[in-house]
């Protein structure tokens, strides 16, 4: 017997027919003798609709009431799934965020999960009752409803799995796993049967949109074994498993898997590039730039600073989320007299391409290979950042698809046989 948390996303829950398909899968796990908790999303499109209602009601809505409104999408699907399970002869009931409760911070619309009371839940599961839990929602210390931020039900599922010490957290979605890159760009992309938490974290945060990044961070911290798989297909991998397992490095070592140097390639078109021209080159200069941006909670990603060839001034280039560009320019304008730059340039026609793999820890030359592959195609690199397991470059947005394809081939990731 295992204890399993199953999570179903919005596409899997969109309508009663699909909820029936979900219930079949849940029933199968329960009938195999497992203790099962299910975490569900709202029906696809529903949360967008609810958010829109709040905006229409008032441009300055109270975030506490926004949470009451948007949390309702998951309340509907959890009740419906419990009804369908019961109609199939399963013991099931819903447990809303406030009923368990799932305690969160009071940062409405982007709350963080604190503790989850599991006493009653574990009792019910042990008695053979399937627990259906709406994702995305929680409760503050003061007893108010919260939500976790868009895509948050992945994080709910991992948090529940950690709290009940589940053997596995299965995330059912509309793709059948994590791929070496976006299969819409590279038809020869391969499904990864296993990936480490760290790699997934890099792939999720640089634009492989399979899981909410926060859920991967939480899984890594709590050592929750996560599996990503499809609610609509049952095809198995060569190794007999389904989907992609996200686990610790040690488990991959143990499985004796042959390591690829590079695990995946991600692309991200959500950044904007900003260049400050002629910043005085003196100690503290960059602090005058990034201090005010940090105060405005603007997340800077890549940073490039040259040495001043004349010993006096240099350009500083960095990237911020595209959605924050207007605010960034505003902050820089207000800080112009302290920073002392001549002018500001910005560009949104850029893309960040990243190659990710724990294999690069023990191999030199990964970055050089990337730069050469891009250079051979005449793709210019505008900025570079690296971490222990990732190299990212900034390029012209028009070359995104070409760059991903070229790198996928260069690192030997293309699948054999006919392209799909
Ligand atoms: N329903 C929420 C959203 O659309 C949470 C989720 O589905 O993960 O963002
Ligand atoms: Mg999702």
């Amino acid at each position: 017997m295992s204890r399993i948390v199953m999570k179903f996303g919005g596409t899997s829950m969109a309508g009663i027919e699909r909820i029936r398909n979900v219930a079949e899968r849940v029933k199968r796990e329960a009938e195999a003798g497992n203790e099962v908790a299910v975490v569900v999303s709202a029906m696809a499109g529903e949360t967008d609709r609810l958010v829109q209602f709040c905006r229409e009601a008032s441009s300055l809505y109270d975030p506490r009431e926004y949470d009451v409104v948007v949390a309702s999408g998951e309340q509907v699907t959890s009740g419906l799934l419990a009804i369908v399970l019961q109609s199939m002869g399963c013991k099931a009931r819903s447990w809303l965020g406030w009923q368990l409760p799932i305690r969160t911070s009071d940062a409405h619309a982007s709350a963080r999960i604190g503790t989850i009371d599991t006493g009653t839940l574990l009792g019910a599961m042990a008695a053979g009752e399937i627990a259906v839990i709406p994702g995305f929602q929680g409760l503050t210390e003061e007893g108010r409803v919260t939500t976790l931020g868009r895509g948050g039900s992945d994080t709910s599922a991992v948090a529940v799995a950690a709290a009940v010490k589940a053997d596995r957290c299965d995330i059912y979605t509309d793709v059948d796993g994590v791929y070496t890159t976006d299969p819409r760009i590279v038809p020869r992309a391969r499904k990864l049967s296993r990936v480490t938490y760290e790699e997934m974290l890099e792939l999720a945060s640089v634009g492989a949109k399979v899981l909410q990044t926060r859920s991967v961070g939480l899984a890594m911290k709590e050592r929750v074994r996560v599996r990503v798989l499809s609610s609509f297909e049952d095809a198995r991998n060569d190794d007999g498993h389904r989907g992609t397992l996200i686990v610790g490095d040690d488990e991959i070592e143990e499985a004796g898997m042959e390591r690829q140097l590079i695990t995946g390639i991600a692309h991200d078109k959500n950044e904007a590039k900003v260049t400050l021209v002629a910043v005085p080159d003196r100690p503290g200069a960059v602090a005058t730039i990034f201090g005010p941006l940090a105060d405005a909670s603007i997340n800077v990603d890549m940073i490039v600073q040259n040495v001043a060839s004349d010993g006096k001034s240099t350009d500083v280039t960095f990237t911020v989320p595209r959605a924050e560009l207007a605010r960034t320019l505003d902050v820089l304008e207000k800080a112009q007299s302290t920073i002392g730059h001549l002018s500001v340039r910005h560009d949104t026609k850029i893309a960040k391409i990243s190659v990710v793999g724990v294999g690069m820890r023990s191999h030199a030359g990964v970055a050089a290979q990337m730069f050469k592959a891009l250079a051979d195609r005449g793709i210019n690199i505008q900025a570079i950042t690296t971490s222990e397991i990732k190299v990212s470059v900034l390029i012209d947005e028009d070359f995104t698809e070409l760059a991903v394809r070229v790198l996928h081939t260069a690192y030997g990731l293309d699948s054999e046989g006919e392209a799909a």
Side-chain angles (χ1 to χ4, degrees):
M1 186 218 65
S2 299
R3 188 176 292 156
I4 298 174
V5 172
M6 304 171 80
K7 186 259 167 177
F8 293 89
T11 321
S12 312
M13 298 298 291
I16 302 300
E17 259 335 289
R18 292 197 180 169
I19 293 180
R20 257 190 252 288
N21 164 55
V22 165
E24 295 282 357
R25 292 181 182 276
V26 173
K27 184 178 182 195
R28 238 177 282 155
E29 289 288 12
E31 282 179 345
N34 299 309
E35 285 183 15
V36 181
V38 191
V39 175
V40 295
S41 284
M43 295 191 196
E46 181 62 9
T47 309
D48 286 341
R49 197 175 72 97
L50 297 169
V51 168
Q52 194 50 36
F53 279 142
C54 292
R55 291 196 182 132
E56 275 173 41
S58 165
S59 55
L60 285 173
Y61 52 75
D62 178 348
R64 292 164 297 192
E65 301 304 343
Y66 163 96
D67 276 349
V68 171
V69 175
V70 300
S72 68
E74 273 75 6
Q75 170 159 344
V76 171
T77 47
S78 55
L80 287 172
L81 178 58
I83 293 175
V84 174
L85 282 167
Q86 288 167 1
S87 77
M88 291 175 168
C90 300
K91 279 209 292 177
R93 75 153 275 188
S94 62
W95 296 90
L96 300 183
W98 60 268
Q99 291 172 322
L100 281 175
I102 295 179
R103 297 266 178 215
T104 72
S105 68
D106 60 4
H108 284 275
S110 59
R112 301 208 152 248
I113 295 180
T115 56
I116 301 179
D117 291 357
T118 52
T120 340
L121 185 63
L122 285 172
M125 288 167 73
E129 189 176 74
I130 297 165
V132 185
I133 302 167
F136 190 45
Q137 45 171 266
L139 185 74
T140 66
E141 217 46 76
E142 295 77 43
R144 304 217 53 169
V145 171
T146 50
T147 63
L148 307 180
R150 298 306 304 274
S153 48
D154 293 334
T155 302
S156 305
V158 171
V160 169
V164 303
K165 303 197 165 45
D167 296 286
R168 214 174 55 227
C169 179
D170 285 346
I171 310 248
Y172 286 84
T173 177
D174 50 3
V175 294
D176 64 351
V178 180
Y179 279 73
T180 47
T181 196
D182 186 342
R184 284 167 305 183
I185 297 181
V186 182
R188 284 172 183 261
R190 277 190 286 122
K191 195 205 301 177
L192 296 161
S193 81
R194 281 184 170 79
V195 62
T196 67
Y197 296 119
E198 291 162 290
E199 289 168 324
M200 193 57 213
L201 213 47
E202 296 285 9
L203 290 170
S205 67
V206 292
K209 300 165 204 70
V210 190
L211 289 178
Q212 198 200 31
T213 309
R214 255 168 76 189
S215 70
V216 184
L218 184 64
M220 176 158 123
K221 181 165 156 265
E222 302 285 342
R223 309 301 287 182
V224 175
R225 302 176 76 236
V226 175
R227 185 167 64 152
V228 176
L229 68 173
S230 165
S231 329
F232 304 105
E233 281 169 47
D234 290 298
R236 289 180 186 278
N237 308 338
D238 293 344
D239 61 3
H241 294 285
R242 292 187 54 211
T244 300
L245 256 183
I246 306 168
V247 290
D249 220 5
D250 41 333
E251 190 168 327
I252 293 189
E253 293 278 314
E254 268 164 38
M257 310 253 312
E258 201 190 314
R259 271 273 159 78
Q260 292 280 347
L261 179 55
I262 294 304
T263 303
I265 296 167
H267 63 99
D268 182 0
K269 294 185 182 176
N270 289 313
E271 291 192 17
K273 183 177 79 163
V274 178
T275 300
L276 293 183
V277 179
V279 177
D281 192 22
R282 54 176 157 73
V286 286
T288 63
I289 303 170
F290 297 111
L293 290 173
D295 292 342
S297 302
I298 295 169
N299 237 325
V300 174
D301 181 23
M302 308 174 103
I303 303 176
V304 187
Q305 188 199 352
N306 266 334
V307 287
S309 50
D310 60 359
K312 286 182 200 137
S313 67
T314 176
D315 294 353
V316 177
T317 296
F318 56 91
T319 63
V320 293
R322 247 179 232 190
E324 302 281 15
L325 178 61
R327 272 197 330 121
T328 302
L329 298 176
D330 185 52
V331 168
L332 293 172
E333 195 184 313
K334 292 200 173 104
Q336 200 280 332
S337 58
T338 33
I339 303 172
H341 54 283
L342 258 188
S343 59
V344 181
R345 285 202 302 258
H346 59 89
D347 186 0
T348 51
K349 255 191 84 260
I350 51 155
K352 183 169 74 173
I353 312 292
S354 305
V355 301
V356 174
V358 289
M360 70 176 81
R361 273 198 191 121
S362 48
H363 272 85
V366 170
Q369 194 178 353
M370 180 182 200
F371 305 153
K372 170 134 196 340
L374 296 175
D376 286 347
R377 292 308 184 101
I379 300 173
N380 188 38
I381 297 171
Q382 306 178 19
I384 303 165
T385 53
T386 66
S387 79
E388 223 192 340
I389 64 163
K390 180 184 74 168
V391 183
S392 304
V393 296
L394 204 64
I395 61 168
D396 183 327
E397 187 184 66
D398 288 346
F399 295 115
T400 308
E401 284 74 18
L402 177 64
V404 169
R405 251 181 254 131
V406 162
L407 294 172
H408 201 265
T409 305
Y411 290 109
L413 294 175
D414 294 347
S415 65
E416 283 141 36
E418 285 304 302

